[in-house]
Structure formats: structure tokens, C-alpha cells
Amino acid sequence: MTSEVDQAGADDDARLAVAAATGDTRAFGVLMRRHKDGIYRFCRRYVGDTDDAYDLTQQTFVSAWSALGRYDPNRAFTTWLRAIALNKCRDHGRRATVRRLIFGTRPSTEASLIEVASDAPSAETQAQDTQALRALDRALSTLSDALKTPLILTALDGLSTAEAAAVMGVSPKAVETRLYRARKALGAQMEAFFERA
């Protein structure tokens, strides 16, 4: 259930998008400032790399600017924008798969792993937290797109099942089923991690 404030923001987004479609760059700038952090977080969670996430966020907004003429103001702007970001992330994943097939795997670097800022009092606790987050990041990366996408949209980005379904172009029931499978798969991997730790 959306609040009146949320609805006012959605109406304002739609108004700004319509203005941007007529060439109003200031309106598009407002939309970018409003949504860039959320799109970046989505891309970061999806691809697992900060640099790639920045690039994908930029690509999302470039594509959104180009496609504003096709935006339906009766549709939530955030849903439309996340659908573009999702397509960019999927394209990135396909390109990465092709690169791995051609060039082989590249070793992961420390920069591509999650950096953890922790308030934990000891270095040991920080190290354990870092290891757990890395294990979660790796576990998330092993999920198929069909399972990873609804999990990121709902559990991490806070969208409702219906909103995630709109972004993905599937039914809410399909999202629920995929969420169940994703949580089950992640749970098994994380359980194995904690048993080893």
C-alpha cells in the first residue's frame, strides 16, 4: 500500500519525465538526482562490482533519456527505470559470460569484493563479518538471473512483490515462487559457510 507522500512523489516523477521528454534537461536532472542512488544500489547488488555498477547506472540513465518518448506516465517512473537497469545488468552478464568463454576467468581482485565498514569492537569480528558478506556476495552471484532479480528487488531494494513483478514483466505469483527458490538456495549455501566457519 503506497502512502500519499509516495503517490505524490510518483506523480511528480511522471510530470518530470513528461517534461524531460520534451527536452527539459533540468527535469531529467532532478529525476537523475532522485533515483541514481537506488539504481546504483540495484546494479551493485546485481553485478557485484562497484565500477561496473557505476557504468551500468550511467548506461541506464542514458538509455532512459533516449527512451523518454516511450515512457507511459500512467506507469510508475521507478518501475520503468528499474526495468531499464535490469536489462542493462542482464546485457552486462551476457557480455561477461562471452568474455569468460573467450578469455577464461579472471582472478577476482580485492577491489571487486564488498568492503565492510563495521562498528564491531574487534578486528576478529570485522574479519568474520567481511568473510560472511563475501560468502553472501558469492552465493548471490551463483543464482540464476530468474532467482537473483526478484531477491534483489524485494529483499534488498524494498519493492513489493507486485512492484518487482512489474519490473520483471512476470506475475506476482511467479515472483513469490522465485523468491522461495532463491531464499532456499541462498540459505543452503550460507548454512554450509557457517558450518565451515
Side-chain angles (χ1 to χ4, degrees):
M1 185 173 170
T2 59
S3 69
E4 288 179 25
V5 172
D6 292 338
Q7 187 57 45
D11 290 344
D12 190 41
D13 281 349
R15 182 185 57 75
L16 288 167
V18 169
T22 65
D24 186 341
T25 56
R26 281 195 220 173
F28 192 71
V30 171
L31 289 169
M32 282 182 60
R33 282 190 297 280
R34 257 185 211 173
H35 299 288
K36 67 180 172 145
D37 291 341
I39 294 299
Y40 168 77
R41 283 190 304 271
F42 172 78
C43 292
R44 170 64 183 88
R45 290 169 179 151
Y46 198 96
V47 301
D49 182 87
T50 55
D51 293 334
D52 289 344
Y54 281 120
D55 290 343
L56 290 166
T57 300
Q58 289 177 347
Q59 291 173 28
T60 297
F61 282 104
V62 167
S63 291
W65 174 257
S66 300
L68 276 170
R70 295 189 305 271
Y71 168 69
D72 176 4
N74 295 317
R75 184 177 178 198
F77 181 77
T78 55
T79 301
W80 181 76
L81 192 59
R82 280 186 202 275
I84 293 172
L86 176 59
N87 287 332
K88 295 298 173 191
C89 289
R90 286 177 174 164
D91 290 345
H92 172 79
R94 284 190 283 273
R95 286 191 303 273
T97 300
V98 169
R99 281 193 301 271
R100 278 193 303 272
L101 288 172
I102 294 171
F103 301 111
T105 58
R106 65 181 172 127
S108 63
T109 62
E110 211 46 44
S112 68
L113 301 173
I114 292 178
E115 296 175 13
V116 178
S118 175
D119 292 333
S122 72
E124 182 180 332
T125 303
Q126 287 180 338
Q128 290 170 346
D129 289 348
T130 300
Q131 288 176 340
L133 284 172
R134 287 178 179 166
L136 180 60
D137 212 23
R138 282 191 299 271
L140 190 59
S141 72
T142 65
L143 294 177
S144 68
D145 287 350
L147 298 182
K148 180 174 22 178
T149 302
L151 186 65
I152 291 172
L153 289 172
T154 58
L156 301 175
D157 282 356
L159 270 62
S160 69
T161 302
E163 290 168 330
V167 169
M168 296 173 63
V170 299
S171 71
K173 185 66 179 168
V175 170
E176 290 172 9
T177 301
R178 292 174 188 186
L179 280 172
Y180 171 78
R181 291 179 183 156
R183 287 183 177 127
K184 188 174 178 182
L186 274 182
Q189 289 190 52
M190 293 309 293
E191 188 175 319
F193 167 79
F194 285 114
E195 284 175 1
R196 290 190 305 268

